[in-house]
């Protein structure tokens, strides 16, 4: 097996390799004038089971599109050089939100990404907390592996102060199923007295509307679950509504912290939000506020690689509270 980590994923890749007990295979990436790029393995992949970990979020000098095409070209190069199998690991898979037409003549970008990945010779793809699981699985014709984060978040909630009852809140109708899965994960590990609530939200041409709030959060600690946070508006809108309906504390949970430069400041300064938890699927993060905690995905990804490679049985991370991590990076680096 060969395990490569592309630019932007080095920190997570080193932790995955350490957790799995294998090395990071050497490779070269070079930028040329006029924006072209080259990536090549520095070891012969012929006959090997190749895993490529790629950071496909935007930020810094590379856009989402830059990183996506670079990852696909690297996978294609491994395939051309005779790799027995090529697996793309994208903790955050871009364009997942555009899996259906919401306006006339809209593109189906999630499907186009899948077609491009398949055309580059990838044999399977692994991602974390897809925006729409059915859309993700249906877009690809190659095998897919979806790594859910509900168990990680449930373990954190179980370790929190239990002085007040717990309520899981979906900040919009599209997140109801996701919130239900967290609700079920909490019940599965014995967290009792778990309530459920959701908010209405509609977005059109950048304008957000909808004010329905369903569920009893009075006197409760509320956990708002979303798959990603960008500007933070959806989370803050839900947090303010939960406070208005009597919540004692409000915590936000998101699998992907795709923060805009102003998002962390906005979230940390809002009195309606007590804590914010994300995974390290889309590093770098800024850790300049006690409100933010980061949960590492390395054990989950290492376990998935070990299972896919067909090696010895790899134990799943225990159902206990993972330790939050501090990542010493700033936005845009």
């Amino acid at each position: 097996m060969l395990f490569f980590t592309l630019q932007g994923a080095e920190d997570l890749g080193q932790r995955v390799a350490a957790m799995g007990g294998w090395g990071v295979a050497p490779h070269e990436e070079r930028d040329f004038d006029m924006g072209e790029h080259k990536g090549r393995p520095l070891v012969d992949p012929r006959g090997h089971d190749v895993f490529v970990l790629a950071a496909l979020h935007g930020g810094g000098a590379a856009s989402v599109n830059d990183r996506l095409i670079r990852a696909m070209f690297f996978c294609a190069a491994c395939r051309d050089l005779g790799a027995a199998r090529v697996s793309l690991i994208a903790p955050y898979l871009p364009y997942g939100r555009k899996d259906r037409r919401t306006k006339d003549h809209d593109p189906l970008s999630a499907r186009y990404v899948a077609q491009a990945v398949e055309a580059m010779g990838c044999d399977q793809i692994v991602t974390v907390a897809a925006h729409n699981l059915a859309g993700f699985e249906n877009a690809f014709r190659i095998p897919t592996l979806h790594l859910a984060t509900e168990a990680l978040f449930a373990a954190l909630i179980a370790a929190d102060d239990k002085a007040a009852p717990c309520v899981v809140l979906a900040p919009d109708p599209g997140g109801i199923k996701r919130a239900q899965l967290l609700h079920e994960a909490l019940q599965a590990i014995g967290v009792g007295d778990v309530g459920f609530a959701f908010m209405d939200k509609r977005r059109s041409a950048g304008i957000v509307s909808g004010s329905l709030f369903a569920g009893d959060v009075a006197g409760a600690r509320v956990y708002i679950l979303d798959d990603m946070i960008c500007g933070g508006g959806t989370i803050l809108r839900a947090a303010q509504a939960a406070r208005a309906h009597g919540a004692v504390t409000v915590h936000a949970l998101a699998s992907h912290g795709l923060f805009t430069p102003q998002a962390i400041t906005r979230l940390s300064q809002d009195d309606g939000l007590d804590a914010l938890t994300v995974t390290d699927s889309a590093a770098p993060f800024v850790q300049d506020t006690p409100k933010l905690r980061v949960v590492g995905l390395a054990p989950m990804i290492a376990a998935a690689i070990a299972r896919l490679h067909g090696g010895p049985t790899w134990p799943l991370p225990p159902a206990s509270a993972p330790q939050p991590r501090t990542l010493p990076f700033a936005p845009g680096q």
Side-chain angles (χ1 to χ4, degrees):
M1 186 261 281
L2 289 177
F3 175 64
F4 295 97
T5 63
L6 302 187
Q7 287 180 359
E10 297 95 338
D11 185 62
L12 177 58
Q14 290 291 342
R15 295 196 304 277
V16 170
M19 185 66 63
W22 52 73
V24 176
H27 78 288
E28 177 192 33
E29 293 188 58
R30 294 178 59 193
D31 293 319
F32 297 95
D33 292 340
M34 306 305 294
E36 295 185 0
H37 177 85
K38 180 182 79 171
R40 67 184 180 108
L42 295 179
V43 291
D44 187 1
R46 184 171 300 277
H48 287 278
D49 191 8
V50 172
F51 293 86
V52 179
L53 177 67
L56 301 184
H57 60 282
S63 69
V64 168
N65 299 331
D66 289 333
R67 289 179 170 175
L68 184 59
I69 198 71
R70 292 176 184 187
M72 291 192 297
F73 279 10
F74 189 86
C75 291
C78 292
R79 167 61 71 198
D80 288 344
L81 293 168
R85 184 177 65 167
V86 178
S87 303
L88 175 60
I89 304 171
Y92 168 70
L93 186 64
Y95 293 104
R97 287 174 283 186
K98 201 56 190 169
D99 60 348
R100 64 191 185 280
R101 292 188 174 94
T102 56
K103 295 184 182 297
D104 291 344
H105 317 304
D106 263 0
L108 296 174
S109 303
R111 192 179 76 190
Y112 307 152
V113 168
Q115 291 171 337
V117 168
E118 292 165 359
M120 291 296 106
C122 291
D123 295 284
Q124 57 188 357
I125 185 166
V126 180
T127 196
V128 176
H131 180 69
N132 180 344
L133 178 55
F136 164 67
E137 293 176 337
N138 291 334
F140 287 89
R141 293 172 297 177
I142 58 176
T144 62
L145 177 59
H146 179 259
L147 304 179
T149 55
E150 285 82 13
L152 291 177
F153 290 145
L156 282 173
I157 293 172
D160 280 350
D161 180 22
K162 303 176 180 62
C166 170
V167 175
V168 178
L169 170 62
D172 53 47
I176 289 178
K177 182 60 179 178
R178 190 180 304 113
Q180 287 174 336
L181 292 174
L182 176 58
H183 187 273
E184 293 170 4
L186 286 166
Q187 292 179 323
I189 61 174
V191 178
D193 194 18
V194 181
F196 185 82
F198 71 91
M199 279 195 69
D200 185 23
K201 183 187 117 175
R202 295 180 294 278
R203 187 193 302 271
S204 181
I207 300 174
V208 175
S209 61
S211 58
L212 173 66
F213 188 98
D216 183 9
V217 299
R221 50 192 174 108
V222 174
Y223 292 87
I224 306 168
L225 179 67
D226 213 342
D227 63 323
M228 63 184 73
I229 298 177
C230 295
T234 297
I235 291 295
L236 291 181
R237 182 173 174 271
Q240 291 159 5
R243 289 287 190 185
H245 284 79
V248 174
T249 58
V250 179
H251 308 257
L253 309 167
S255 300
H256 308 295
L258 309 175
F259 300 118
T260 63
Q262 299 79 24
I264 289 291
T265 300
R266 184 183 183 190
L267 291 164
S268 64
Q269 293 179 351
D270 192 283
D271 294 335
L273 189 65
D274 294 288
L276 170 62
T277 302
V278 295
T279 76
D280 57 356
S281 68
F285 298 101
V286 61
Q287 183 77 29
D288 63 353
T289 170
K291 285 187 179 182
L292 178 64
R293 57 183 177 180
V294 181
V295 181
L297 291 174
M300 180 184 294
I301 294 175
I305 292 173
R307 291 196 301 269
L308 292 173
H309 184 55
T313 301
W314 184 268
L316 289 173
S320 59
Q323 295 300 311
R325 303 181 56 257
T326 297
L327 300 182
F329 300 107
Q333 288 187 339

